[in-house]
Amino acid sequence: MKKRQHVREQQQQQQQQASAVEDSLKEPVLAPLNTEQDILLAHYVPVYVMLPLDTVTRDNVLAHTERLVCNLRALRAAGVDGVMVDVWWGVVESAGPRKYDWSAYHALFCHISAAGLKIQAVMSFHQCGGNTGDSCFIPLPHWVLAEGDKCPDIFFTNRDGLRNREYLSFGVDDEPVLAGRTGVQVYTDFMRSFRAHFLHFLHSGIVTEVEVGLGPAGELRYPSYPETHGWRFPGIGEFQCYDKFLLAQLSYAAQEAGQYQWGYSGPHDAGRYNDWPQATGFFGPHGSFATDYGRFFLEWYSSVLLRHGDAILEAATDVFVGLPVKLAAKVAGVHWWYNSHNHAAELAAGYYNLRERDGYRPIALMLARHSAMLNFTCAEMRNHEQYWEARCGPEGLVQQVLDAGWQEGLEVACENALPRYDVAAFDQIIHNARPDGINWSGRPLRRISSFTFLRLGPDLLRERNWAEFVRFVRRMHVGLDRHPEPEQYFNPRKLVRRSRPKQAVPQDPPPAPVASVPLHSSSLPLSPPTAAQPFFSPDAPGGGLGAEMEAQGQGQGQGQGKGQGKGQVEQVGLKGEQQQQQQQKQPQQQSQMQQGQGLWFGLGRGRESGDGEGEGVVSRGQGVRERPAQCREGEPEDCCQDSRTAAGAGAGAEAGAGAGGEGGDGGGRESFMAVGGAEGRDGTVGAAGLPCGGLGREFGAGGGGGAAAGGEGPGMEGRGGDSSPIVAVTEALSLAARCLVTQLIPGPARADEAGEQLQDCSPLQGSSLGGGMAGQQESGEQQQEQREQQAQQEKQDQQQQSGGVDSVDGAGGVD
């Protein structure tokens, strides 16, 4: 009896609290902006910081409590408004179905509240591990994995039948395959339990936002580019619709369309994870993605994604209805191939976005039905910092997605995709947060509701990074002190309301400018390809990241290379089996060269290396030789090299892979490319075995073979001689690769043969120069004349010392 009375009193108290909150929210908050302080407050953007992914470990233990408390106090002193916490499904419900353990998260929320910070709680229904930036591994609940062992089709599946255990397939949303429950029911029960245990934090406004995980990495997308399956940037990814539940839905949709043959499977010519669009029949020139079949499949594929998000968010509104908290959903920033006509990576991820079709407006319309916030990433990225061959367009993508949300009346939030602590990144974030700047006449026309910084850790707390971050927070607050309540900066809390009735989402929204490049009629696919497109083409160097290229039809293998400075760059690719030619020692010249029958071609992405120091990496041959590169005193970071090494174009922010047999440094920011080539040493021509090995000498400062590209544009690497300027030749990389593939010679080549075949690569000389040039190059004619004189002199000296014995001249004769 007493227990019932106690429960009744609690319910009455909760109702009174809810009524008080509702009454306070009904008060007018959009008062006129009468003072300069009011105008600034209207432009105030709260800043949150993501806590480490393993703040609560997979064993459901709050890790490093004392350090956490100190860090929370530091964030509070810096003016940060709150923190984002991943609430892992695999931790809380690990013991069994409906067996929830919230003890560690309750302790965490108490520490955050005691520090005076707000909370963004993420319902993380995905696995931690396998995505960029994941520092730990937290799987799905053990009982879910056990169900997956019985029925593997509950997980996403690619065309090869490879399962992805990162997130449950959208096909099980309405299938009772999880201990008698459907996917939607499992997610709903978890959120209902969260609400019951943290009701006080929700009512009091400590938890300001609940972000509902809708896919891998918590983002509304398919797991089309999983690193655990070998994907590397900028591969297009693969369609993930081959589990039996999604195939059944595809078959039904095809029958409804009167084309039952379309329902057997997804596109057969859409490529592999690391292919580039041009190397596929579906996305390539005149690709079938724009045919009737392509449009049918992409509309169905994206509609499944929308229905999944719609169902989970409708369940979330039913759970949190009446609470003063904001619901949010995160959309992924798939910015590579955004400026291409096919948008291949976006299509594979489920975003049916083309130049003539706005693929993000249907998502905004779906979120508007639930009054949910749209959270988007890559707010710190700029176009010129990205790898240009991948047609990256983060700036245009961010603008398109944010505008789609604002046009539908949504609150919009942002995150950074990668850890950045430099002023340029912070400037870009502020530009996206307030695109129209400060409106001194009143409220801002466009302003994001909040920004979440990725992430709290040792790097952020370093003195220089911390100082920049504190200044950034102050700028987001428009120079004002921290204001803990959203009503103070005219962003009032609202009660969660039930979802509005469903309305048909337009299949063909009004045209919207998507890419920053114009749409040409020649880029519109007219018909499917009549023949298989070559795997390697000038427009798709290597066919993709780490792509497999068989030179003269010989073998396949795997190779890895690493370059290390302050940060570390890793690159993995497939290459032809390479045979190391025996080292040839020539009198006086002592050149060392390597030959391979396959061409290794790959990409890498790494962290910033402030001083540009690092290790060179061999990209050809079986043997690996490393040679450190050092910066001379007073030499700019982007010119870090020794007397025989020239870095690729760039700002010297990365230590990357070089070209040729001995290796070298390639400067770069986010990514770089390297093409292996035979190489000479000390000014000798690296033409033995590869006639195009002399390309490096032609466009570098002298000597050396092979090509390297890095930084904000590709470049050709020169090696040898006494000069050290960096020359970055735009568009040179693909031409060099084509030359190396098509003109491969299986054996030592004389200098005159190299010179004849090098003429086919002459368009490189007309290319424009990229960034990072250390000094102005001499004209090609003067360099050629000097090299010929030097070669002639060396040949005469050699004949005199060797008694007239001829030897291979590896130093000159290349036109």
Side-chain angles (χ1 to χ4, degrees):
M1 199 67 183
K2 292 182 179 179
K3 185 176 181 180
R4 293 181 180 176
Q5 184 177 0
H6 178 67
V7 172
R8 195 178 300 110
E9 290 177 355
Q10 282 186 338
Q11 292 177 349
Q12 292 177 356
Q13 184 179 3
Q14 292 174 1
Q15 292 176 357
Q16 292 175 359
Q17 291 177 351
S19 300
V21 171
E22 186 172 2
D23 292 340
S24 65
L25 295 178
K26 289 181 179 178
E27 297 177 2
V29 293
L30 297 179
L33 306 182
N34 298 321
T35 65
E36 181 177 323
Q37 177 83 355
D38 291 341
I39 293 177
L40 291 177
L41 281 172
H43 293 78
Y44 181 101
V45 176
V47 177
Y48 291 74
V49 175
M50 298 182 192
L51 293 185
L53 295 171
D54 57 350
T55 300
V56 175
T57 67
R58 62 182 298 180
D59 297 324
N60 206 355
V61 176
L62 182 59
H64 311 294
T65 304
E66 294 182 359
R67 184 174 65 187
L68 173 66
V69 171
C70 292
N71 290 341
L72 292 175
R73 291 175 180 173
L75 292 175
R76 175 65 179 83
V80 171
D81 296 88
V83 295
M84 174 177 279
V85 178
D86 282 285
V87 182
W88 295 107
W89 179 33
V91 171
V92 176
E93 200 179 353
S94 179
R98 295 191 179 92
K99 296 180 179 180
Y100 307 103
D101 183 358
W102 299 100
S103 56
Y105 282 102
H106 188 274
L108 174 61
F109 280 28
C110 288
H111 286 304
I112 297 172
S113 176
L117 298 173
K118 303 293 186 180
I119 299 174
Q120 293 174 327
V122 182
M123 303 291 100
S124 298
F125 298 119
H126 61 283
Q127 167 190 290
C128 178
N131 288 291
T132 302
D134 287 353
S135 57
C136 62
F137 179 72
I138 300 177
L140 299 184
H142 298 301
W143 63 271
V144 174
L145 298 179
E147 294 290 341
D149 294 336
K150 301 175 186 177
C151 179
D153 286 287
I154 69 173
F155 299 117
F156 284 105
T157 309
N158 70 354
R159 187 175 54 171
D160 295 328
L162 190 62
R163 311 288 183 179
N164 189 314
R165 298 162 73 92
E166 183 180 356
Y167 190 84
L168 294 177
S169 169
F170 301 152
V172 302
D173 284 352
D174 300 319
E175 299 290 340
V177 293
L178 301 170
R181 291 183 294 168
T182 66
V184 174
Q185 290 173 342
V186 168
Y187 301 141
T188 304
D189 291 342
F190 183 86
M191 291 186 288
R192 187 174 288 115
S193 178
F194 173 84
R195 181 187 190 276
H197 282 80
F198 297 100
L199 189 61
H200 169 69
F201 294 94
L202 293 166
H203 271 304
S204 62
I206 296 175
V207 176
T208 61
E209 179 183 321
V210 175
E211 183 177 297
V212 183
L214 299 176
E219 299 167 334
L220 179 63
R221 65 172 175 87
Y222 289 87
S224 59
Y225 47 94
E227 293 186 350
T228 52
H229 290 181
W231 175 88
R232 295 295 181 269
F233 177 89
I236 59 177
E238 292 187 25
F239 292 113
Q240 305 288 321
C241 59
Y242 293 90
D243 61 86
K244 68 178 184 181
F245 300 107
L246 287 181
L247 284 178
Q249 295 183 23
L250 175 61
S251 177
Y252 177 79
Q255 294 177 14
E256 289 292 311
Q259 300 287 344
Y260 66 90
Q261 69 276 12
W262 290 351
Y264 293 145
S265 69
H268 68 280
D269 56 350
R272 302 298 183 187
Y273 284 118
N274 293 321
D275 285 345
W276 287 22
Q278 301 91 331
T280 69
F282 190 77
F283 298 113
H286 308 295
S288 54
F289 77 94
T291 62
D292 290 340
Y293 164 73
R295 285 189 288 268
F296 158 79
F297 175 79
L298 293 174
E299 287 176 0
W300 169 82
Y301 191 70
S302 61
S303 68
V304 171
L305 180 71
L306 286 174
R307 286 199 302 269
H308 169 75
D310 188 64
I312 306 303
L313 286 175
E314 185 168 9
T317 58
D318 291 339
V319 169
F320 296 102
V321 63
L323 294 177
V325 67
K326 297 177 181 178
L327 297 181
K330 185 177 178 181
V331 178
V334 186
H335 61 86
W336 54 104
W337 306 114
Y338 176 81
N339 283 337
S340 66
H341 74 283
N342 48 61
H343 292 250
E346 293 172 90
L347 298 184
Y351 304 138
Y352 192 5
N353 187 50
L354 298 172
R355 293 178 179 177
E356 61 277 6
R357 186 185 193 279
D358 189 347
Y360 297 98
R361 185 188 169 202
I363 296 176
L365 289 171
M366 182 269 292
L367 295 178
R369 189 172 88 86
H370 311 288
S371 301
M373 291 178 58
L374 190 159
N375 187 13
F376 195 64
T377 183
C378 67
E380 85 286 6
M381 293 184 176
R382 296 181 294 177
N383 291 348
H384 72 270
E385 297 171 342
Q386 312 305 315
Y387 176 52
W388 69 276
E389 289 249 18
R391 307 293 191 268
C392 299
E395 294 182 42
L397 178 61
V398 170
Q399 180 181 358
Q400 180 190 356
V401 175
L402 298 190
D403 284 346
W406 281 320
Q407 289 173 5
E408 298 303 326
L410 298 178
E411 291 191 50
V412 176
C414 281
E415 299 176 1
N416 53 312
L418 299 173
R420 292 278 298 273
Y421 312 99
D422 55 291
V423 177
F426 290 143
D427 288 344
Q428 185 65 23
I429 293 171
I430 292 174
H431 169 72
N432 289 322
R434 292 186 291 262
D436 304 307
I438 304 296
N439 179 22
W440 294 103
S441 301
R443 290 184 176 83
L445 301 177
R446 295 178 294 176
R447 178 196 65 171
I448 65 174
S449 297
S450 65
F451 175 79
T452 305
F453 182 80
L454 182 152
R455 103 179 31 249
L456 177 63
D459 290 339
L460 174 61
L461 298 176
R462 289 175 181 169
E463 181 177 359
R464 181 175 179 179
N465 295 342
W466 182 253
E468 291 294 345
F469 176 73
V470 171
R471 282 192 287 268
F472 163 71
V473 173
R474 190 74 174 181
R475 294 171 65 191
M476 293 290 280
H477 292 171
V478 286
L480 302 176
D481 293 333
R482 176 179 178 269
H483 286 69
E485 300 304 325
E487 288 79 11
Q488 294 176 327
Y489 47 88
F490 306 99
N491 188 15
R493 293 178 296 168
K494 300 177 182 178
L495 297 180
V496 176
R497 304 183 185 277
R498 296 191 183 276
S499 303
R500 295 196 294 269
K502 289 185 178 181
Q503 296 179 354
V505 177
Q507 293 295 328
D508 295 310
V514 176
S516 58
V517 293
L519 175 65
H520 301 291
S521 58
S522 59
S523 65
L524 289 174
L526 302 178
S527 61
T530 57
Q533 187 175 358
F535 190 78
F536 176 78
S537 68
D539 295 328
L545 168 64
E548 167 189 351
M549 296 178 58
E550 297 183 9
Q552 295 189 345
Q554 297 192 14
Q556 301 176 359
Q558 261 189 338
Q560 294 183 349
K562 291 183 179 180
Q564 182 177 5
K566 285 186 176 178
Q568 195 176 54
V569 178
E570 294 186 359
Q571 51 185 349
V572 179
L574 296 176
K575 65 176 181 180
E577 289 186 357
Q578 301 182 349
Q579 302 174 352
Q580 184 177 9
Q581 184 182 9
Q582 296 182 353
Q583 298 178 356
Q584 300 179 354
K585 296 184 178 180
Q586 302 176 2
Q588 303 299 324
Q589 297 180 5
Q590 297 181 352
S591 62
Q592 297 179 0
M593 295 170 285
Q594 292 177 322
Q595 174 195 2
Q597 293 300 321
L599 175 64
W600 180 88
F601 197 96
L603 262 176
R605 182 179 68 243
R607 300 179 183 275
E608 289 189 6
S609 173
D611 55 6
E613 296 182 357
E615 296 177 350
V617 181
V618 175
S619 58
R620 175 168 293 279
Q622 297 176 352
V624 176
R625 304 182 184 182
E626 298 182 352
R627 179 176 59 189
Q630 300 178 351
C631 290
R632 299 169 181 171
E633 183 177 359
E635 186 176 21
E637 293 177 357
D638 56 347
C639 301
C640 181
Q641 54 198 347
D642 61 18
S643 60
R644 294 172 299 178
T645 303
E654 305 287 341
E662 288 192 23
D665 286 349
R669 291 190 61 85
E670 287 299 331
S671 58
F672 63 87
M673 301 192 77
V675 178
E679 173 174 331
R681 182 177 181 182
D682 294 337
T684 63
V685 175
L690 286 179
C692 291
L695 282 172
R697 186 180 78 109
E698 192 69 19
F699 296 97
E712 300 171 6
M716 301 300 298
E717 179 180 62
R719 189 182 301 256
D722 296 325
S723 55
S724 61
I726 300 170
V727 178
V729 184
T730 308
E731 299 180 356
L733 189 56
S734 60
L735 294 173
R738 179 173 59 179
C739 182
L740 288 170
V741 171
T742 58
Q743 301 178 10
L744 193 63
I745 294 181
R750 297 193 310 273
D752 55 350
E753 293 176 348
E756 293 175 0
Q757 300 184 11
L758 187 61
Q759 294 177 359
D760 294 336
C761 301
S762 58
L764 297 172
Q765 299 180 12
S767 302
S768 60
L769 299 180
M773 179 176 289
Q776 186 175 3
Q777 289 284 356
E778 298 179 1
S779 65
E781 295 180 358
Q782 292 177 347
Q783 289 186 0
Q784 178 66 20
E785 183 178 354
Q786 292 177 1
R787 287 195 293 269
E788 290 178 355
Q789 293 176 358
Q790 181 181 0
Q792 186 68 21
Q793 183 64 34
E794 289 179 355
K795 188 171 183 179
Q796 292 177 2
D797 294 342
Q798 179 181 352
Q799 290 176 353
Q800 292 176 0
Q801 295 180 9
S802 60
V805 179
D806 293 334
S807 62
V808 178
D809 182 4
V814 180
D815 293 332

